């Protein structure tokens, strides 16, 4: 079982570029979410989805877009990358919002 | 919003017990979680406790919950070098899983 798969693992962007971080899960989980991890700040929720076609904002949504057209996939789009978006990004999924989440291995993004 | 707080660092000798503490704010959380993150990896669900429980034991791990003080702790018995990692507590806030800042546990021989 693949679990939660994130691609790419590493990415360097120039300021102003756009890109999409991919996240896919094969566990038929309804709930998916994106977090960013910065030193000393733990994990902060960017966007989440409670099912296909439904998304909502988390704590730090500015500069990011998401969509959930299928149960399996939950891509995160950076519209115009900024150095402040340099971080490690984690995708997570769970059967429901009240259940413990499974995490992907992370995408380390550097914006120069 | 909700706030989950943890101390940033803990250093223990191999074989001793480790106690990692966490305070949370949402008294309506039905579950509280502990996650472990090893270097360069994602978070792994370590254990959880249901809000109507005071204690849960799982092999070397003991979770204590004090709902009155909104305090959660994770005790690791006989700490090993393989336990060196960052430990996160987390609570449920409506549909959102809210994490603490993480405690970096360092185990020395």
């Amino acid at each position: 079982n693949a679990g939660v798969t994130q691609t790419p693992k590493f990415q360097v962007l120039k300021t102003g570029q756009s890109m999409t971080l991919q996240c896919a899960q094969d566990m038929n989980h309804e709930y998916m979410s994106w977090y960013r991890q910065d030193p000393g700040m733990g994990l902060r929720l960017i966007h989440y989805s409670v099912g296909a076609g439904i998304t909502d904002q988390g704590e730090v949504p500015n500069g990011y877009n998401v969509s959930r057209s299928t149960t399996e996939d939950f891509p995160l789009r950076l519209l115009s990358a900024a150095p402040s978006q340099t971080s490690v990004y984690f995708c997570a999924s769970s059967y429901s919002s009240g259940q413990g989440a499974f995490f992907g291995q992370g995408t380390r993004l550097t914006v120069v | 919003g909700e706030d989950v707080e943890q101390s940033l660092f803990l250093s223990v000798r191999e074989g001793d017990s480790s106690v990692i503490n966490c305070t949370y704010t949402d008294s309506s959380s039905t579950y509280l979680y502990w996650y472990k993150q090893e270097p360069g990896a994602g978070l792994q669900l370590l254990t959880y406790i249901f809000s109507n429980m005071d204690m849960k034991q799982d092999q070397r791990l003991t979770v204590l919950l004090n709902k009155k003080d909104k305090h959660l702790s994770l005790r690791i018995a006989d700490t090993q070098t393989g336990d060196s990692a960052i430990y996160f507590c987390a609570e449920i806030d409506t549909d959102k899983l809210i994490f603490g800042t993480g405690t970096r546990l360092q185990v020395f021989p």
Side-chain angles (χ1 to χ4, degrees):
Chain A
N1 289 334
V4 180
T5 303
Q6 288 183 239
T7 55
K9 286 186 170 53
F10 301 94
Q11 183 71 50
V12 178
L13 288 179
K14 292 183 179 178
T15 297
Q17 285 185 313
S18 62
M19 81 159 294
T20 299
L21 307 186
Q22 301 290 344
C23 176
Q25 52 91 9
D26 61 358
M27 297 173 282
N28 202 32
H29 284 167
E30 290 294 325
Y31 187 87
M32 296 185 75
S33 53
W34 277 101
Y35 292 85
R36 59 178 288 173
Q37 183 178 23
D38 301 292
M41 302 189 75
L43 277 80
R44 292 182 292 170
L45 182 65
I46 305 171
H47 286 285
Y48 65 100
S49 168
V50 299
I54 306 168
T55 63
D56 207 344
Q57 295 181 349
E59 182 185 359
V60 288
N62 292 341
Y64 308 94
N65 272 359
V66 292
S67 59
R68 185 93 181 272
S69 56
T70 67
T71 299
E72 293 78 19
D73 300 299
F74 191 44
L76 177 73
R77 280 182 284 278
L78 279 72
L79 308 172
S80 177
S84 61
Q85 294 178 304
T86 293
S87 188
V88 181
Y89 292 84
F90 288 100
C91 177
S93 76
S94 60
Y95 181 71
S96 69
S97 62
Q99 302 293 315
F102 292 83
F103 279 78
Q105 291 298 299
T107 296
R108 186 174 295 274
L109 176 68
T110 302
V111 183
V112 298
Chain B
E2 303 304 329
D3 199 13
V4 181
E5 295 187 355
Q6 301 178 238
S7 54
L8 291 181
F9 298 101
L10 177 65
S11 184
V12 299
R13 187 180 298 277
E14 190 175 16
D16 287 350
S17 293
S18 307
V19 179
I20 302 171
N21 295 302
C22 169
T23 57
Y24 62 96
T25 55
D26 187 356
S27 58
S28 65
S29 290
T30 51
Y31 289 95
L32 293 143
Y33 301 92
W34 284 103
Y35 285 83
K36 178 183 181 182
Q37 184 183 31
E38 296 181 354
L43 276 71
Q44 173 191 1
L45 179 61
L46 205 54
T47 187
Y48 65 93
I49 188 166
F50 192 52
S51 60
N52 68 352
M53 299 169 65
D54 297 325
M55 185 182 84
K56 179 180 179 182
Q57 189 154 0
D58 184 1
Q59 299 182 336
R60 292 190 298 121
L61 304 178
T62 303
V63 179
L64 295 178
L65 176 60
N66 181 330
K67 287 195 71 176
K68 175 176 170 291
D69 295 336
K70 296 179 185 173
H71 183 265
L72 181 73
S73 68
L74 174 70
R75 178 177 179 271
I76 305 173
D78 187 25
T79 311
Q80 303 297 308
T81 54
D83 295 323
S84 293
I86 302 176
Y87 291 82
F88 292 91
C89 65
E91 65 170 351
I92 295 288
D93 170 23
T94 317
D95 289 326
K96 301 183 286 291
L97 190 59
I98 306 298
F99 287 86
T101 52
T103 300
R104 184 178 295 275
L105 174 64
Q106 182 181 15
V107 183
F108 59 93

